[in-house]
Amino acid sequence: MQQVGEYPFQETFDVLAAPLIIIGLTFVLYYGISYYMKSNIQGTDDYMVAGRTIGPFVNGSAISATWESLATFMGVIALMVQVQIPFLAMWTNFLLSIPLIVILYGQTLRRLGSYTPATFCKDRYGNTMSVVMALLIVFVMLMYALGQFIGLAQIAEILFGWDYTLSLFVIAVLVTGYVVIAGMWGVSYNSALQFWLMLTAAFFPMMIVLQQLGSTGWFFPPLGYGDLVPEMEAAQPGFFDMTFDTRWYFAMFLAMALGPIGMPHLAQRIFTSRDVEAGRKTVFWFIFVSALMFATVYAVAFAGVMWLTQEGLIDTVDEADFDKMIFYLNFAFSGDTITGYVVAGAIAGGLSTVSGHMLAISAAVANDVIEAFELEITEDRKTQFGYVSVIAAGLVVALIALSPPAFLVVSILWAFAISAAAITPVIVLGVWSARVNRYGAIASSIVGFVTVVVLSPHAFGAIGAGGEGLTADLGIDAIMIAFPLSMLTFIVVSLVAERIDSLGVDPESNRALINEMHGYPDDDVERFTSAVPLLILALLMLPILWWGIQPW
Amino acid sequence: MQTHTKEALATVGAFLALSAVIHGGIWFTMFGTPDFRVLGFPFHYFWLVAGGPATLFVLYWVYYRYVTSSIMAEKEQLKAAADEGAVTGEVGVEPGDSDD
């Protein structure tokens, strides 16, 4: 990363007053909403899942903001600039996650009244798996939140000129404060507002940028820059190349589509829906608003490359500084005030995501661990424990962020890989098959987690999977082995355990739960009890595993 | 076909269909990128930016219509039949039971 002032364009604010007022006003609004919503909290249900009252539009917007995060304004644009089309394909995979959450388990777990996937694991697999799942949730959420905290602290560092540590703790206090005040009520409505702030902060300033770049479709940034394509192709002939081979895109599917399915902070949003029907309708709003946001962000990346190419600066900007492309563009074309609004949008993205992480950690610790150990405590005490968990989560993330691990840049994608291998199979198969059981679930989660950790380049450098290059650096190659291995373990161990009398596995014992979660009457009819789909799934995993262990 | 089998097949079908439209990256690397443009963009770029998400929306709508009309109606009939066939003595519902 270069020092500020080394590029021949504006890199930071010349006049801070207007940006500070804009950013300050957004925080006043967030705290105002949280304070207003505080009176709604009467118990754990209100604190963890907003009393299950959130409608499709608010929820669709809130999920979108939580899902997009600060990375949309910084990391996504940087990777689009560097990796180009393949990264676009990677991010489109991500879009698939929310519809798949709803289809595969969101509606069933909402019907069951779960707070988190770990609550479901307690009902479905028992206390041990519930604790394993709660620990996985905390680990994955910490990995994910870490990147957001550091990104937010870096923005504060750039904006105010504070040192990193001070920026980090100010951010930690601000975020923890508004999450503690109103729990999921305030976070849901704040996240919905934050989404629209993010969209307008990306969309409207891009109209100005595209107009000045000479695009005739400047009034609709998501798809309005097609007339600049020939110029881009002349200047950057490889911009539209697919670059990588099929396996790369398949690995992306496993990590970027199946990973987020297991992410509790996304699933928890579906559990806040006022009913199952509202949960299903949420997907429509999510797809619409998220697609609009991402198409706009791709336009930012396109415009960034275009502008730097036109100025002859594309090779002079340090790779690490591509994170700030959206700010550079707006400084160059729109000035300090509008860039202040863009920064407010970026902060909104970080806040919405990290607040979701903190609530997921809080729910896992304050609800699932307490229930797993069957502690007898009052509802009030449980809610208070939720508050304490949020504060503790904020503190822990801030302390880890003080001295971030070397793999921090890719910690989010690493979290996706762990989620895909250790969390998603346990939840999805638990919903759709009465034949899987606790022995398979525990073995699968452990195998999935350990395989990702061992094979990723971040833990043991000497042991790896796949090849060199981007996916190896991102730790995503490991998923081609970890996911099929986890699925095979789950299915084989579950079916073998059934045949060992001393383990006492009885698929019949799940019947009432399976019927209830799918909305069927408890009428003695066996449902989802065939082993055939599991065996077919296990067979499908074999070629994927074989493909994964081949040299790339 | 029993309702839960239809529901499971609809879920698998939706999963495969949604995954197939979104995974343009896999198709384009297997079969090459089409040589035509939409709104000035190479087709594969347009598909990843807008075509795929728009098709995702439509396919999800098809799934939603099927589940909310056909499957949910059959579940209601099953519940009604079970209520008629058995006197459980149960009063009230568990959290979430009547949410549909």
Side-chain angles (χ1 to χ4, degrees), chain A residues 93 225 240 277 518 520, chain B residues 7 23 37 44-45 64 75:
Chain A
N93 274 307
Y225 54 98
F240 294 102
E277 175 70 5
H518 286 281
Y520 292 101
Chain B
E7 187 182 14
H23 291 93
R37 287 168 188 259
H44 62 289
Y45 183 85
Y64 171 83
K75 284 184 182 179

Side-chain angles (χ1 to χ4, degrees), chain A residues 308-328:
Chain A
L308 288 177
T309 306
Q310 284 179 352
E311 299 292 316
L313 299 169
I314 190 75
D315 296 322
T316 60
V317 175
D318 193 272
E319 277 192 5
D321 289 329
F322 283 129
D323 270 339
K324 300 169 204 155
M325 178 60 77
I326 193 167
F327 308 130
Y328 293 161

Side-chain angles (χ1 to χ4, degrees), chain A residues 180-385:
Chain A
V180 165
I181 289 175
M184 190 57 103
W185 278 100
V187 164
S188 290
Y189 284 91
N190 265 321
S191 292
L193 172 71
Q194 282 157 353
F195 169 79
W196 289 100
L197 191 62
M198 289 166 71
L199 181 62
T200 51
F203 192 100
F204 293 116
M206 269 313 290
M207 292 166 73
I208 300 169
V209 173
L210 287 178
Q211 188 187 34
Q212 293 186 59
L213 282 174
S215 171
T216 54
W218 58 269
F219 49 84
F220 188 64
L223 290 172
Y225 54 98
D227 56 344
L228 296 178
V229 166
E231 194 180 335
M232 176 65 93
E233 287 174 320
Q236 298 280 337
F239 190 83
F240 294 102
D241 288 352
M242 298 303 293
T243 311
F244 300 111
D245 67 6
T246 305
R247 184 162 41 167
W248 191 91
Y249 292 94
F250 191 80
M252 284 302 141
F253 166 61
L254 296 182
M256 297 300 294
L258 301 188
I261 289 177
M263 290 288 178
H265 70 298
L266 299 176
Q268 216 171 332
R269 293 272 188 219
I270 304 297
F271 305 157
T272 65
S273 298
R274 61 173 168 242
D275 53 36
V276 177
E277 175 70 5
R280 290 192 196 109
K281 283 183 178 167
T282 295
V283 173
F284 290 116
W285 281 110
F286 169 80
I287 297 173
F288 177 70
V289 298
S290 302
L292 199 57
M293 180 75 205
F294 270 163
T296 306
V297 165
Y298 302 148
V300 176
F302 182 96
V305 175
M306 190 93 218
W307 169 61
L308 288 177
T309 306
Q310 284 179 352
E311 299 292 316
L313 299 169
I314 190 75
D315 296 322
T316 60
V317 175
D318 193 272
E319 277 192 5
D321 289 329
F322 283 129
D323 270 339
K324 300 169 204 155
M325 178 60 77
I326 193 167
F327 308 130
Y328 293 161
L329 264 177
N330 282 289
F331 279 132
F333 291 97
S334 305
D336 283 348
T337 305
I338 289 178
T339 309
Y341 188 62
V342 177
V343 170
I347 292 172
L351 290 178
S352 63
T353 305
V354 86
S355 57
H357 297 152
M358 292 169 84
L359 278 174
I361 292 170
S362 168
V365 174
N367 183 72
D368 299 321
V369 172
I370 284 175
E371 289 208 348
F373 289 105
E374 294 174 352
L375 302 175
E376 291 292 330
I377 61 170
T378 62
E379 189 71 6
D380 279 353
R381 187 52 61 88
K382 206 163 144 182
T383 309
Q384 287 165 1
F385 202 39

